[in-house]
């Protein structure tokens, strides 16, 4: 389905979804797809999980931005793992000119402020770094990054993570943190930002996706694509079965027996029973997948699907996912 509005125009692409559905993989694939178009892309994670380093098979990322991939087109993916501690020191340096004093703060432990005392402020610091990257320019060449892709916290926490304004208003009503939060909110709710939701075609992730669309919309955040990950074409669909007055198991029994005979495999009854049971489960999964796919389509957002790769993201898998996103129009 084509997008209702050109979400690819956004410069900040936030990728969220239920835990384990493929957020990191999809964020990496999206960044790769933009780079394949010749763009310079910053790919960031904010929870210090080092998921990006794993996907690109490089040493752990830090505050230093590092090139993860270069494309013949001239495009590039630069990786960054934002850490609250480093972000606070940079923030203090920038707003209070605390240069070497930052090191002192670090030593005496005042920096725990960022990691423990005020979670809202911690999030502002993390997104603050993303905000800085989106807005970063050089006098000669304009924006440093054409695109910033954020491997964001899971859907269960994404609302709070992105609602920096309400989080911060509890701890800072005025001052630089407050105005930083206001600027961030303007960026997040403006046309520059879009939030993509990764899901599997399973009950729980689809439920979370539905809830997330409602929550993000309430927060005036723009939902972009719903990406259904690990979707495999069913080998057998209910409509593939010959219509017969017998039960499904009998139809499957005939199919399996005929198939095995055609392949000249000698069979034991237990083998046929086992294969029939597997075929029945497969049909049930195919039906569920079809129903959940329709539910996703009903959310009113464009839906892209990605196959499950037999060898995971290694050996060119990332490129396969990137091409699939590109072909389906996610990159514009
Ligand atoms: N399309 C795919 N084909 C094959 N393997 C995949 C695919 N997408 C993701 N994976 C694998 O599934 C696992 C989970 O993916 P990923 O780490 O991207 O999920 P996540 O949502 O970021 O997880 P977490 O919530 O832990 O951060 C990884 O091992 C990844 O390599
Ligand atoms: Mg992840």
């Amino acid at each position: 389905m084509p997008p209702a509005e050109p979400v690819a125009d956004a410069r900040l692409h936030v990728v969220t979804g239920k835990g384990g559905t493929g957020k990191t993989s999809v964020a990496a694939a999206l960044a790769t797809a933009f780079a394949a178009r010749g763009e310079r892309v910053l790919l960031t994670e904010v929870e210090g999980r080092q998921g990006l380093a794993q996907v690109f098979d490089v040493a752990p990322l830090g505050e230093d931005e590092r090139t993860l991939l270069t494309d013949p087109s001239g495009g590039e993916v630069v990786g960054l793992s934002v850490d609250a501690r480093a972000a606070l020191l940079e923030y203090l340096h920038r707003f209070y000119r605390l240069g070497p004093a930052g090191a002192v703060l670090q030593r005496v432990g005042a920096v725990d402020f960022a990691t423990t005392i005020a979670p809202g402020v911690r999030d502002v610091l993390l997104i603050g770094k993303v905000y800085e990257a989106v807005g970063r320019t050089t006098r000669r060449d304009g924006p440093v990054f054409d695109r910033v892709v954020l491997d964001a916290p899971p859907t269960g926490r994404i609302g709070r993570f992105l609602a920096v304004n309400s989080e911060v208003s509890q701890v800072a009503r005025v001052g630089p943190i407050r105005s930083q939060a206001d600027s961030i909110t303007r960026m997040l709710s403006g046309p520059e930002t879009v939030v993509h939701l990764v899901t599997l075609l399973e009950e729980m992730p689809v439920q979370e996706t539905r809830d997330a669309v409602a929550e993000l919309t309430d927060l005036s955040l723009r939902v972009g694509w719903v990406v259904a990950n690990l979707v495999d074409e069913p080998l057998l669909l209910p409509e593939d079965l010959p219509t017969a007055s017998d039960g499904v198991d009998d139809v499957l029994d005939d199919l399996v027996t005929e198939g095995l005979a055609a392949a000249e495999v000698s069979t034991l009854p237990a083998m046929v029973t086992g294969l029939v049971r597997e075929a029945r489960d497969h049909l049930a999964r195919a039906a569920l997948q079809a129903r959940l796919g329709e539910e996703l389509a009903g959310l009113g957002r464009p839906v892209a699907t990605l196959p499950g790769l037999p060898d995971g993201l290694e050996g060119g898998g990332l490129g396969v996912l990137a091409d699939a996103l590109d072909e389906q129009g996610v990159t514009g």
Side-chain angles (χ1 to χ4, degrees):
M1 193 206 296
E5 64 258 10
V7 293
D9 287 355
R11 291 189 52 239
L12 173 59
H13 291 249
V14 179
V15 179
T16 182
K18 183 171 163 33
T21 53
K23 297 179 293 297
T24 302
S25 307
V26 171
L30 184 59
T32 302
F34 281 127
R37 297 185 153 225
E39 297 191 4
R40 194 169 144 77
V41 187
L42 182 72
L43 174 59
T44 73
E45 66 187 356
V46 285
E47 301 204 294
R49 301 262 310 275
Q50 295 300 336
L52 298 178
Q54 240 170 40
V55 169
F56 288 90
D57 199 18
V58 296
L61 295 170
E63 311 134 48
D64 53 320
E65 292 165 12
R66 195 177 334 139
T67 299
L68 296 175
L69 177 148
T70 49
D71 189 85
S73 62
E76 188 182 8
V77 176
V78 175
L80 170 70
S81 180
V82 186
D83 165 74
R85 207 168 270 269
L88 175 62
L89 289 176
E90 185 180 323
Y91 177 85
L92 292 173
H93 178 71
R94 197 140 44 93
F95 287 95
Y96 297 105
R97 311 245 169 273
L98 283 183
V104 176
L105 272 179
Q106 175 106 306
R107 249 199 327 275
V108 300
V111 170
D112 282 343
F113 168 76
T115 47
T116 56
I117 295 176
V121 172
R122 180 172 171 274
D123 289 346
V124 177
L125 290 168
L126 294 175
I127 308 178
K129 181 67 195 171
V130 174
Y131 173 77
E132 179 273 325
V134 172
R136 198 187 307 166
T137 53
T138 58
R139 203 170 295 163
R140 252 191 45 208
D141 301 323
V144 172
F145 297 108
D146 299 306
R147 229 47 97 153
V148 176
V149 177
L150 174 61
D151 177 12
T155 32
R157 278 185 287 130
I158 193 67
R160 279 193 76 177
F161 181 74
L162 295 177
V164 283
N165 239 344
S166 51
E167 291 295 313
V168 160
S169 60
Q170 294 166 20
V171 287
R173 287 185 198 290
V174 292
I177 289 202
R178 172 82 250 169
S179 56
Q180 168 91 340
D182 287 339
S183 312
I184 293 171
T185 301
R186 263 196 303 281
M187 170 188 71
L188 292 177
S189 52
E192 261 176 318
T193 303
V194 69
V195 184
H196 305 297
L197 294 165
V198 183
T199 184
L200 305 177
L201 289 183
E202 291 172 10
E203 296 279 5
M204 291 299 293
V206 168
Q207 176 65 43
E208 279 203 22
T209 302
R210 202 182 309 122
D211 294 347
V213 169
E215 184 185 17
L216 293 168
T217 307
D218 273 354
L219 290 167
S220 305
L221 297 162
R222 186 158 60 123
V223 179
W225 288 76
V226 172
V227 180
N229 191 23
L230 292 162
V231 178
D232 292 312
E233 280 300 313
L235 300 169
L236 185 67
L237 291 166
E239 51 266 38
D240 294 337
L241 296 182
T243 42
S245 50
D246 305 334
V248 173
D249 276 8
D250 290 331
V251 174
L252 290 173
D253 199 302
D254 289 347
L255 279 178
V256 169
T257 310
E258 282 164 27
L260 289 170
E264 296 181 10
V265 177
S266 58
T267 57
L268 295 170
M271 191 171 157
V272 175
T273 315
L275 288 170
V276 166
R277 194 181 319 120
E278 277 193 28
R280 201 190 326 119
D281 291 349
H282 191 85
L283 280 175
R285 267 201 310 278
L288 176 70
Q289 192 168 301
R291 181 171 66 72
L292 293 172
E294 273 169 30
E295 240 176 82
L296 289 183
L299 291 174
R301 309 308 313 158
V303 179
T305 57
L306 293 177
L309 303 172
D311 299 324
L313 268 62
E314 283 167 26
L318 188 59
V320 173
L321 297 186
D323 288 349
L325 291 174
D326 194 64
E327 278 161 21
Q328 292 174 78
V330 180
T331 46

